[in-house]
Amino acid sequence: MIIAASAPLTVVAGGVTTSFAVTGSLGVPLGFLLIAVILTVFAVGYTAMGRFITNAGAFYAYIAQGLGRPLGVGASLIALVSYNAMQVGIYGLFGFQLSMFLEAKFGFASPWWVWILLCIVVVGILGVNRVDLSAKVLGILVGLEFLVVIVFDVISLGAAPEGVSTATLAPSALFGPALGLILVFGVAAFMGFEGAAIYGEEAKDPKRTVPRATYAAVAIIGVFYAFSAWAFSVGIGPSQIVAKSQESGPDLMFVFMSSHAGVLLADIMTVLFLTSLFAALQSFHNSVARYFFSLGREGVLPGWFSRTSRAGAPWAGSVAQTVIAVIVVVGFILGGEVFGGAAALGDTAFLYPVLTMFTWLTNTGAMGLVLLMAVIAAAVIGFFAKNKRGVGIFTSLIAPALSGIALLWVFVMILQNFPLMLGQEQPDLTTFLLPGVILAAGAIGIVWGYILRSRRPELYRQIGHGTEPGAYGTQLIEVVEDGN
């Protein structure tokens, strides 16, 4: 689930080329390793806290118990907005890519939004079934992604027009003026890594498997992306990788494969690029469904969100996420077709779902999740300050403090470079509106938390504690299951 959310093939094809193109730096491969180090340090306290808290609303429960219930409710709404934004934004790229592929290969022209709506149905069906089914489907897709990227890496190293150069692995390439930008664009590739804790209630042995999955995912993703970015630079040539990435963007990978491995393999990679997007869509959908479930169980949202299917999946949360996706997609369809959003883009009108829906929403979601991780680091310190629980000072204070400062710096860098991330020459309304949505969600959640404290004190006491013995949420779930 974690690696599916990070979408390996999508990151190598799109994220790596975008990083080279926008930063103009050769330090992209080492940037992935640096982010992996920061997140590994973050995971030290995060997974330690997870040994004492098992909750499908991971961020929400951690912050509620570490920094207070109102902040926990605020975090829950930021998480809902961020995960929804990531998931719905990816639909834009999926619909565009599939529509373009079918037209290029079969001459079949079709609206991009048709494929999005069909995909929403498939994702929704998988979402209301047991997580095992989603995991099996995603496991196969992710395995194929890794295989095809490894093939690409091998071919790149074999091509090496300038020799197998280590120019992009020099520390001087990373630690320069573009360091902040490299981290800003690279951190999005890791979004979803924190998701193991979300599945803690469904795991057979969460105290062991959740930390193991978290560390393994960070290590695998970091090393794999760094190696693939380096191989990419070798295949194109270090002196050409920035210029070629600026010229071709994500298509550079497929153009390269067409000329070095044949059209058939390039087409297979394109299909797997689409399945990579599908895997990420399913993973984020599942995360949103479980947040709805956790908040409904504890009364922060209406109780019906906590309803599960006979298979044990949070079907109400899954349906809610599906409805949100449909509403937002329809909004972008109307924006493009009725209000002239696509026409306003001129010659790039055909890229409307990519330049707006995908770019706006995924960058907004990544920003929200980075903010949450910075707050989680503070929550770890607060949680263990109340009771050490036998945890050492490095785990309870030093590691979360270091990672929290680093993540907060990355968040500030995202805010400073948000127009660049949105591809804007000059800031406009969306530059401020999109970050505002994240901050407003947090503020509304905090206010709602205080309202619950004054009006429903018994429910308030259970916020972030829904899986503890005797908790209101646990009793509610038992009633719902008996009703089924």
Side-chain angles (χ1 to χ4, degrees):
M1 290 295 183
I2 295 172
I3 295 177
S6 73
L9 181 53
T10 302
V11 169
V12 176
V16 169
T17 52
T18 300
S19 293
F20 277 123
V22 175
T23 66
S25 170
L26 297 181
V28 173
L30 287 183
F32 285 119
L33 290 181
L34 180 56
I35 296 169
V37 170
I38 294 172
L39 295 183
T40 299
V41 176
F42 167 81
V44 170
Y46 179 66
T47 57
M49 195 170 177
R51 296 202 299 269
F52 305 97
I53 302 173
T54 301
N55 194 304
F59 281 172
Y60 151 71
Y62 288 16
I63 293 174
Q65 296 201 34
L67 297 176
R69 292 168 175 81
L71 283 176
V73 178
S76 72
L77 294 194
I78 291 178
L80 276 178
V81 171
S82 299
Y83 279 121
N84 269 297
M86 291 291 290
Q87 201 257 8
V88 179
I90 294 171
Y91 275 122
L93 183 58
F94 176 86
F96 170 81
Q97 286 293 140
L98 182 53
S99 177
M100 292 295 101
F101 178 73
L102 292 175
E103 184 171 2
K105 287 296 163 185
F106 306 105
F108 177 63
S110 57
W112 55 270
W113 49 265
V114 169
W115 304 110
I116 294 178
L117 295 177
L118 289 175
C119 186
I120 289 174
V121 173
V122 176
V123 169
I125 290 172
L126 287 173
V128 297
N129 284 280
R130 285 182 62 86
V131 71
D132 311 45
L133 178 59
S134 293
K136 290 173 182 176
V137 172
L138 299 191
I140 294 171
L141 297 180
V142 169
L144 292 173
E145 284 184 67
F146 269 89
L147 179 61
V148 75
V149 174
I150 290 170
V151 170
F152 167 76
D153 292 344
V154 171
I155 293 175
S156 295
L157 294 175
E162 299 175 18
V164 182
S165 170
T166 58
T168 54
L169 299 179
S172 58
L174 174 64
F175 295 101
L179 174 60
L181 272 180
I182 291 172
L183 297 185
V184 163
F185 281 90
V187 74
F190 291 79
M191 290 301 96
F193 102 95
E194 75 293 338
I198 294 174
Y199 300 96
E201 294 182 42
E202 296 161 272
K204 294 178 181 178
D205 186 7
K207 306 303 181 187
R208 180 177 61 89
T209 57
V210 168
R212 181 179 296 179
T214 302
Y215 282 119
V218 173
I220 292 170
I221 292 171
V223 173
F224 186 71
Y225 288 167
F227 179 82
S228 296
W230 169 68
F232 208 147
S233 71
V234 171
I236 304 299
S239 67
Q240 295 296 314
I241 185 63
V242 171
K244 292 292 185 181
S245 294
Q246 292 170 339
E247 177 185 338
S248 300
D251 284 339
L252 180 60
M253 184 180 195
F254 306 106
V255 171
F256 174 86
M257 291 300 287
S258 295
S259 60
H260 289 81
V263 175
L264 178 61
L265 185 54
D267 288 345
I268 292 174
M269 290 185 67
T270 302
V271 172
L272 288 175
F273 179 69
L274 290 167
T275 62
S276 171
L277 294 172
F278 175 82
L281 287 167
Q282 190 67 56
S283 183
F284 282 117
H285 173 92
N286 290 346
S287 296
V288 172
R290 281 150 184 80
Y291 262 95
F292 274 125
F293 163 80
S294 179
L295 296 173
R297 173 177 59 191
E298 298 179 19
V300 177
L301 293 180
W304 68 268
F305 279 110
S306 64
R307 294 175 181 173
T308 57
S309 66
R310 294 185 182 278
W315 73 263
S318 180
V319 170
Q321 202 288 319
T322 299
V323 171
I324 289 171
V326 170
I327 291 173
V328 176
V329 169
V330 169
F332 275 93
I333 295 172
L334 294 176
E337 302 296 332
V338 177
F339 301 112
L345 296 174
D347 294 338
T348 60
F350 75 103
L351 284 170
Y352 173 73
V354 177
L355 296 179
T356 58
M357 187 172 168
F358 173 72
T359 302
W360 291 0
L361 297 184
T362 54
N363 283 311
T364 301
M367 175 178 59
L369 293 176
V370 170
L371 173 62
L372 281 179
M373 285 191 287
V375 177
I376 280 283
V380 172
I381 296 173
F383 181 76
F384 288 113
K386 302 171 187 175
N387 185 341
K388 290 297 184 184
R389 295 175 169 83
V391 173
I393 189 171
F394 179 77
T395 299
S396 63
L397 178 60
I398 297 175
L402 291 174
S403 61
I405 292 170
L407 288 166
L408 185 60
W409 176 66
V410 173
F411 174 72
V412 172
M413 291 296 298
I414 290 174
L415 287 178
Q416 290 180 349
N417 293 281
F418 206 60
L420 184 61
M421 296 174 71
L422 299 184
Q424 299 170 337
E425 294 183 4
Q426 295 292 332
D428 60 24
L429 179 62
T430 57
T431 311
F432 306 99
L433 180 62
L434 295 174
V437 170
I438 295 293
L439 299 177
I444 291 170
I446 291 172
V447 172
W448 179 237
Y450 281 111
I451 291 173
L452 291 175
R453 186 176 71 171
S454 63
R455 294 184 179 179
R456 304 187 66 183
E458 290 187 7
L459 186 150
Y460 176 81
R461 284 195 294 271
Q462 305 307 321
I463 289 176
H465 298 69
T467 57
E468 295 177 4
Y472 166 82
T474 305
Q475 296 167 5
L476 175 61
I477 283 301
E478 289 171 354
V479 170
V480 171
E481 290 179 344
D482 288 344
N484 286 339

